[in-house]
Amino acid sequence: MKKEKNITTESTILNAAKNIFQRKGMDGARMQEIADEAGINKALLHYYYRSKQLLFEAVFKNAFLLLAPQLNKILNSEDSLNIKIKDFTKNYISFIIKHPYLPNFIINELNRSPEFVQKLISEKHFPNIQKFKDQITENVENGKILPIKPEHLFINIMALNIFPFIASPLLKGFLKVNDENYKQLMEERATEVSNFIINAIKS
Amino acid sequence: MKKEKNITTESTILNAAKNIFQRKGMDGARMQEIADEAGINKALLHYYYRSKQLLFEAVFKNAFLLLAPQLNKILNSEDSLNIKIKDFTKNYISFIIKHPYLPNFIINELNRSPEFVQKLISEKHFPNIQKFKDQITENVENGKILPIKPEHLFINIMALNIFPFIASPLLKGFLKVNDENYKQLMEERATEVSNFIINAIKS
DNA sequence: ACATTTGTTAACCATTTAGTTAAACTAATT
DNA sequence: AATTAGTTTAACTAAATGGTTAACAAATGT
């Protein structure tokens, strides 16, 4: 048995599927296109992953599990709130620049089938934000930051970091900037966003 | 000719198409499903709109032109920056609560075909943010707000307002809240977000 | 009244698509 | 060399899908 070749083909397929699914979504992707991208026969996709749905789920979980530890690591660290916000912003933006299709893919497919979130929550790597929430509450009680519900601050951090990547075609249109200039704006945001947030909650 | 009936059928179709396209996207939508939703024969869709692509574009432009004036009205008003931020946040969030699928639909389809933005820009109702940018520059120069590039402030305002609606399934999962509680959070944000922004730029 | 234009439908068509099958191939095992 | 388990392919199938056609119905102009 060629165990090694087995793994290579399987991961070649997964990688090709990732490229196609993340660019075109579940509905827009074609099994034939994924096979072409992987340089193999369409029947092999089914041999390894049975159906489009299962292949899609493999890609989706893979993508999500790439993103989740990024969140977890920072949210559950022992650092101060300010450091966390700075670290998160810096790491997240440089992470997404490497995986530009990822946030839109995840958000979009979760909108298509919101019940899928339930499956994800039960995975052991699903981000837990309890510690982060406690930390915010504590900072508010000590008067270190202005009163704000932890939920809102969390949403704001996510929004400021993720949205510009999801909405890039729209924002490029509004701002009348080209790809090059937009990319530069995104790089500026690695520090810009954390300053903005820290200012907003500074008491 | 039954001009009235004509218009009714045409708009019935457009409305049905809106419902289906905004929930399922271009690729996920089926012409038969749209016909069923409109309560008419599938051939009628083609009679009025020729092809799926043209029907989709009609829906898309319609959706966009519903949203654009909201932006324009506020961005080009004579109010102070603070008032603008407050107005925009309040109006926008209540607008989106009425049209929950709209932002995700627009952003998603623009990601699917980013070149479509060019077509939109040439439409006369496309939002122009020049005046808003000038206003920010002026406020920075007068020392009324902290130094910030107009582009970043604009992106931040959009992000904080729009993102929570686009990413709601994901955020509900992270925050472990149900639909009811999430809706309440969104209502709080009508004031929460503008306070946050104003604090962030206050000098 | 009746001819013409406009609106609507059922049946149909060509193509695309996910999935299947059976046979060929490969490489390790006996 | 024969067997066997696993891998890969070409050809096929059934269902779905966007779009068309031809016939029928309703409104309108003359």
Side-chain angles (χ1 to χ4, degrees):
Chain A
M1 295 159 274
K2 23 182 174 170
K3 200 74 183 172
E4 221 169 301
K5 188 104 183 278
N6 184 352
I7 288 172
T8 316
T9 307
E10 195 167 333
S11 60
T12 302
I13 291 174
L14 197 66
N15 198 51
K18 189 195 84 184
N19 291 339
I20 303 299
F21 276 133
Q22 293 198 6
R23 261 183 289 145
K24 310 215 168 177
M26 170 67 170
D27 293 328
R30 296 287 160 254
M31 292 298 266
Q32 186 58 59
E33 203 181 357
I34 294 171
D36 291 347
E37 174 93 6
I40 49 131
N41 189 287
K42 186 165 67 82
L44 257 193
L45 300 181
H46 290 95
Y47 177 77
Y48 282 102
Y49 292 92
R50 285 187 59 102
S51 69
K52 187 183 182 185
Q53 179 63 29
L54 287 176
L55 178 54
F56 174 79
E57 286 182 17
V59 169
F60 189 90
K61 284 189 182 168
N62 232 261
F64 195 81
L65 291 183
L66 199 65
L67 195 140
Q70 297 267 336
L71 268 173
N72 261 325
K73 193 179 58 191
I74 293 171
L75 292 177
N76 294 323
S77 80
E78 296 299 326
D79 297 320
S80 73
L81 189 54
N82 274 7
I83 300 283
K84 271 186 186 178
I85 290 169
K86 277 184 188 157
D87 274 6
F88 180 78
T89 300
K90 213 176 91 187
N91 289 348
Y92 202 84
I93 291 183
S94 64
F95 173 75
I96 298 294
I97 284 177
K98 284 187 216 124
H99 305 270
Y101 292 107
L102 219 152
N104 191 54
F105 173 67
I106 289 178
I107 282 171
N108 198 29
E109 296 301 331
L110 284 183
N111 272 310
R112 221 177 44 90
S113 45
E115 66 284 359
F116 196 65
V117 158
Q118 295 310 317
K119 275 194 206 166
L120 288 176
I121 289 178
S122 51
E123 301 268 330
K124 59 176 173 300
H125 290 292
F126 191 84
N128 185 310
I129 64 167
Q130 190 55 48
K131 187 165 177 180
F132 184 69
K133 281 168 68 176
D134 292 345
Q135 190 175 22
I136 294 167
T137 308
E138 195 196 314
N139 271 268
V140 169
E141 280 169 2
N142 296 347
K144 286 189 182 163
I145 63 171
L146 293 175
I148 186 169
K149 268 197 188 178
E151 286 83 356
H152 285 304
L153 183 52
F154 178 76
I155 293 175
N156 292 352
I157 293 172
M158 299 285 280
L160 289 166
N161 279 303
I162 303 176
F163 182 78
F165 294 97
I166 296 175
S168 62
L170 189 65
L171 290 172
K172 280 175 197 164
F174 284 156
L175 297 171
K176 298 196 176 77
V177 297
N178 58 27
D179 292 1
E180 178 59 31
N181 290 342
Y182 195 78
K183 191 173 170 244
Q184 205 190 319
L185 275 176
M186 290 307 104
E187 280 157 8
E188 288 168 18
R189 289 183 72 82
T191 57
E192 178 65 42
V193 165
S194 48
N195 288 341
F196 188 87
I197 298 169
I198 289 167
N199 257 327
I201 58 177
K202 188 161 57 187
S203 62
Chain B
M1 293 163 274
K2 24 183 177 169
K3 200 71 186 173
E4 221 170 302
K5 187 109 185 272
N6 184 349
I7 287 171
T8 316
T9 308
E10 195 168 333
S11 60
T12 303
I13 291 174
L14 197 67
N15 198 53
K18 189 194 83 183
N19 291 339
I20 304 297
F21 277 132
Q22 293 198 6
R23 261 183 289 145
K24 309 214 168 176
M26 170 67 171
D27 293 330
R30 296 288 158 251
M31 292 299 266
Q32 186 59 58
E33 204 182 356
I34 294 171
D36 292 347
E37 174 92 7
I40 50 133
N41 189 286
K42 184 163 69 79
L44 256 195
L45 300 182
H46 290 95
Y47 178 77
Y48 282 101
Y49 292 92
R50 287 188 60 99
S51 70
K52 188 184 183 185
Q53 179 64 27
L54 287 176
L55 177 54
F56 174 79
E57 286 182 17
V59 169
F60 189 89
K61 285 190 181 168
N62 232 261
F64 195 80
L65 291 183
L66 199 65
L67 195 139
Q70 297 269 336
L71 268 171
N72 261 324
K73 195 178 57 192
I74 293 171
L75 292 177
N76 294 323
S77 81
E78 297 298 327
D79 296 321
S80 73
L81 189 55
N82 274 9
I83 299 283
K84 272 186 185 177
I85 291 169
K86 276 183 189 157
D87 273 7
F88 180 78
T89 301
K90 213 177 92 187
N91 288 349
Y92 204 83
I93 290 182
S94 65
F95 173 74
I96 298 295
I97 285 175
K98 283 186 217 127
H99 306 269
Y101 291 108
L102 219 152
N104 190 53
F105 172 67
I106 288 178
I107 282 171
N108 198 31
E109 297 300 332
L110 284 184
N111 272 309
R112 218 176 47 89
S113 44
E115 67 283 0
F116 196 65
V117 158
Q118 296 310 318
K119 274 194 207 169
L120 288 175
I121 288 179
S122 50
E123 301 267 331
K124 60 178 175 295
H125 290 293
F126 192 84
N128 185 310
I129 65 166
Q130 191 55 48
K131 187 166 177 178
F132 184 68
K133 281 168 69 176
D134 292 345
Q135 189 176 22
I136 294 167
T137 308
E138 193 195 316
N139 271 267
V140 169
E141 279 169 2
N142 296 345
K144 285 189 180 163
I145 62 171
L146 294 175
I148 186 169
K149 268 197 188 179
E151 286 84 356
H152 286 305
L153 183 52
F154 179 75
I155 293 175
N156 292 352
I157 293 171
M158 298 286 278
L160 290 166
N161 279 303
I162 303 177
F163 182 78
F165 294 97
I166 297 176
S168 63
L170 189 65
L171 290 172
K172 280 174 196 163
F174 283 156
L175 297 171
K176 298 195 176 81
V177 297
N178 59 25
D179 292 0
E180 178 59 32
N181 290 341
Y182 195 77
K183 189 168 171 250
Q184 205 190 320
L185 276 175
M186 289 307 104
E187 280 158 7
E188 288 167 18
R189 288 182 73 82
T191 56
E192 178 65 42
V193 165
S194 47
N195 289 340
F196 188 86
I197 297 170
I198 288 167
N199 256 325
I201 57 176
K202 188 161 56 186
S203 61

